[in-house]
């Protein structure tokens, strides 16, 4: 009778305790599962999480970083410990391997430092010359210039400060040329690119040397193009670049 | 009799032990030799490609390098032009303009960027001109970060590419 009278009153409390324990265990299970996924380390058995004592239930979980570092430390300790058991041959191998790695690192550093010093050689800047001085140079080296016309630049097509159109004659070979000079190399670069993509001068041969653009018409023979490019190199670039042959020592 | 058999067994065991040890050393030597051959062969085969990649990365990081010892390859100008339709009708252009000086035969040089590998170079006064056109529209997104001029013998020059607008 007394049992029957107690049952209805104690049953809800027991159920509540059981329910809270089950919820706590489920929560801990989820938390450990999450830790297991993130750290990829073996978690403590779930059994302990399900232990009935609250002390065990509130035991703090190791953080992923702690878990990782402790396992790494253990591994290193194990490895160092086992090094004491190495045979002389194994020790020799480790010493040789370490020496080899050190040598490769040292050689790389020495090589890199050597590269830096060789690349530090600087060339003198190229001079700024005028279109008329280029034409004069062409005459000096034996080319005959005819139908010489000064262009009214800068205009819509060119941002040059001086422009000359002429017909150049090298023996039996003739060609029409445009010689343009600019304030700076940058302006010459821009006009050279624009000329090469444009519909009017797209098929002309464009040669650039410092602030000078030399354009030759499509009907100009390739040999004359090469000759003019060479003369331009000799006048503007070769005196300032020792690796290029200078056939015109006056400049 | 037993003593004799024991000695025989011991000798046989020792011989096997030495045979195994010798075989191990030969195997080590063979493996090391083969690895060395493969590594050297790979370095020759992909050396230029690796060098080019290093150059492209260096240029993209803003570094500039010219080859100046004996063989000379220098990059004087490396610009990517973004040209509007007003300047280059009807749709505009995007292209690279690289010039430089060299004493190497142009047939032995190639130009590369982080967008295209192994383009031919054209002749220019004292050197070369590398001028690939990327698109018939103005799009700075098509401009490469760096350019590498490389010889067949392994010399190279690299430089960052500057974007310039033409409106």
């Amino acid at each position: 009778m007394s049992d029957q009278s107690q049952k209805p009153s104690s049953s809800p409390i027991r159920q509540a305790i059981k329910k809270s324990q089950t919820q706590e265990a489920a929560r801990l299970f989820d938390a450990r599962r999450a830790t297991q996924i993130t750290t990829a380390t073996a978690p403590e058995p779930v059994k302990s999480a399900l232990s009935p004592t609250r002390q065990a239930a509130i035991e703090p979980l190791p953080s992923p970083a702690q878990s990782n570092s402790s396992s790494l430390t253990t591994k290193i300790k194990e490895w160092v410990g086992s090094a004491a058991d190495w045979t002389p041959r194994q020790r020799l191998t480790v010493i040789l391997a370490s020496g080899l790695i050190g040598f490769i690192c040292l050689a790389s550093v020495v090589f890199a430092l050597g590269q830096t010093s060789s690349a530090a050689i600087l060339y003198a800047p190229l001079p700024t010359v005028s279109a008329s001085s280029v034409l004069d140079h062409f005459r000096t080296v034996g080319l005959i210039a005819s139908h010489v016309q000064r262009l009214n630049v800068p205009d819509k097509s060119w941002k040059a400060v001086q422009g000359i159109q002429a017909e150049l004659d090298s023996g039996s070979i003739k060609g029409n040329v445009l010689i343009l000079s600019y304030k700076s190399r940058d302006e010459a670069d821009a006009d050279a690119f624009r000329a090469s993509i444009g519909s009017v001068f797209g098929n002309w041969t464009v040669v650039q040397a410092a602030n000078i653009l030399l354009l030759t018409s499509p009907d100009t023979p390739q040999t004359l193009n090469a000759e003019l490019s060479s003369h331009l190199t000799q006048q503007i670039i070769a005196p300032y670049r020792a690796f290029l042959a200078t056939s015109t020592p006056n400049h | 009799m037993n003593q004799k058999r024991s000695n025989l067994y011991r000798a046989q065991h020792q011989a096997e032990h030495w045979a195994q040890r010798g075989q191990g050393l030969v195997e080590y030597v063979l493996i090391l030799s083969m690895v060395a051959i493969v590594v050297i062969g790979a370095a020759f085969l992909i050396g230029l490609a690796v060098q080019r990649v290093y150059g492209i990365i260096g240029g993209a990081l803003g570094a500039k390098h010219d080859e100046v010892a004996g063989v000379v390859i220098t990059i004087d100008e490396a610009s990517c032009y973004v040209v509007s339709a007003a300047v280059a009708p009807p749709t505009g252009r995007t292209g690279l303009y690289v010039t430089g000086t060299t004493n190497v035969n142009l047939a032995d040089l190639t130009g590369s960027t982080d967008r295209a590998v192994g383009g031919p170079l054209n002749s220019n006064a004292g050197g070369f001109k590398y001028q690939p056109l990327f698109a018939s529209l103005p799009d700075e997104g098509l401009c490469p970060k760096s350019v590498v001029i490389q010889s067949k013998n392994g010399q190279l020059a690299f430089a960052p590419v500057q974007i310039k607008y033409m409106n």
Side-chain angles (χ1 to χ4, degrees):
Chain A
M1 188 68 188
S2 62
D3 284 342
Q4 278 176 356
S5 62
Q6 275 177 0
K7 253 184 187 176
S9 62
S10 64
S11 176
I13 297 166
R14 272 185 193 170
Q15 277 176 359
I17 292 168
K18 214 171 187 179
K19 197 178 173 184
S20 71
Q21 278 180 347
T22 312
Q23 282 175 345
E24 188 75 4
R27 190 185 61 77
L28 281 164
F29 181 79
D30 287 340
R32 282 178 191 274
R33 190 70 181 273
T35 312
Q36 187 182 4
I37 290 164
T38 52
T39 62
T41 53
E44 285 177 28
V46 180
K47 215 182 264 179
S48 65
L50 293 170
S51 94
T53 57
R54 185 158 276 280
Q55 185 64 28
I58 58 167
E59 185 184 315
L61 290 165
S63 71
Q66 266 183 334
S67 168
N68 269 344
S69 65
S70 65
S71 68
L72 186 68
T73 314
T74 314
K75 278 179 187 172
I76 290 169
K77 276 180 184 170
E78 281 172 8
W79 188 79
V80 172
S82 67
D85 305 328
W86 284 353
T87 62
R89 192 174 170 177
Q90 283 174 322
R91 281 182 191 164
L92 184 68
T93 308
V94 169
I95 290 165
L96 284 175
S98 308
L100 193 64
I101 290 165
F103 173 75
I104 290 168
C105 291
L106 195 68
S108 305
V109 169
V110 169
F111 180 73
L113 288 173
Q115 287 286 307
T116 309
S117 61
S118 69
I121 300 167
L122 292 172
Y123 288 112
L126 296 175
T128 303
V129 295
S130 64
S132 55
S133 74
V134 172
L135 186 64
D136 290 344
H137 177 74
F138 286 160
R139 283 175 172 145
T140 308
V141 294
L143 295 173
I144 299 161
S146 57
H147 302 101
V148 179
Q149 284 185 320
R150 287 193 175 269
L151 300 176
N152 190 20
V153 285
D155 62 5
K156 202 179 171 184
S157 300
W158 310 107
K159 291 180 179 172
V161 290
Q162 191 181 24
I164 296 171
Q165 185 177 0
E167 188 180 278
L168 292 176
D169 188 344
S170 170
S172 58
I173 313 167
K174 281 185 181 178
N176 288 306
V177 299
L178 278 181
I179 306 167
L180 300 158
S181 60
Y182 294 80
K183 274 184 200 168
S184 68
R185 190 202 165 95
D186 280 353
E187 289 181 6
D189 289 332
D191 262 9
F193 181 79
R194 196 166 51 175
S196 66
I197 60 168
S199 56
V200 180
F201 295 98
N203 52 357
W204 284 52
T205 302
V206 183
V207 172
Q208 184 185 358
N211 69 316
I212 294 290
L213 284 192
L214 176 72
L215 291 94
T216 51
S217 60
D219 57 345
T220 305
Q222 198 57 42
T223 48
L224 184 60
N225 280 333
E227 193 181 334
L228 293 175
S229 178
S230 173
H231 291 318
L232 204 57
T233 304
Q234 297 305 326
Q235 183 194 4
I236 300 171
I237 304 172
Y240 304 90
R241 301 288 183 267
F243 60 89
L244 293 171
T246 49
S247 63
T248 50
N250 293 336
H251 293 275
Chain B
M1 185 68 180
N2 278 344
Q3 180 67 27
K4 221 176 192 178
R5 194 176 287 170
S6 171
N7 286 343
L8 189 68
Y9 174 77
R10 201 179 295 154
Q12 193 182 352
H13 182 73
Q14 206 166 16
E16 275 176 11
H17 171 75
W18 280 106
Q20 278 175 1
R21 192 174 170 181
Q23 190 185 26
L25 279 173
V26 170
E27 280 173 354
Y28 282 139
V29 170
L30 279 173
I31 288 167
L32 276 175
S33 309
M34 281 193 286
V35 168
I37 289 166
V38 168
V39 167
I40 291 166
F44 271 102
L45 284 174
I46 63 165
L48 289 176
V50 171
Q51 193 190 39
R52 183 173 59 239
V53 170
Y54 277 127
I56 286 170
I57 292 169
L61 292 172
K64 187 180 185 304
H65 170 80
D66 291 327
E67 196 72 48
V68 290
V71 171
V72 176
I73 308 169
T74 67
I75 296 174
D76 300 330
E77 170 69 23
S79 299
C80 180
Y81 285 99
V82 182
V83 187
S84 71
V87 177
T91 54
R93 298 281 191 283
T94 303
L96 191 65
Y97 186 72
V98 179
T99 59
T101 47
T102 185
N103 56 2
V104 181
N105 187 349
L106 290 192
D108 294 335
L109 292 176
T110 53
S112 303
T113 65
D114 43 308
R115 296 198 168 272
V117 172
L121 304 185
N122 296 320
S123 175
N124 194 35
F128 59 86
K129 197 162 56 170
Y130 178 48
Q131 202 175 351
L133 195 65
F134 298 127
S136 294
L137 74 165
D139 184 358
E140 64 173 77
L142 296 173
C143 287
K145 300 277 184 294
S146 66
V147 62
V148 172
I149 305 296
Q150 191 175 29
S151 80
K152 283 180 182 171
N153 295 325
Q155 291 86 14
L156 92 164
F158 59 83
V161 173
Q162 200 181 350
I163 299 175
K164 290 178 180 173
Y165 299 90
M166 249 187 240
N167 297 309

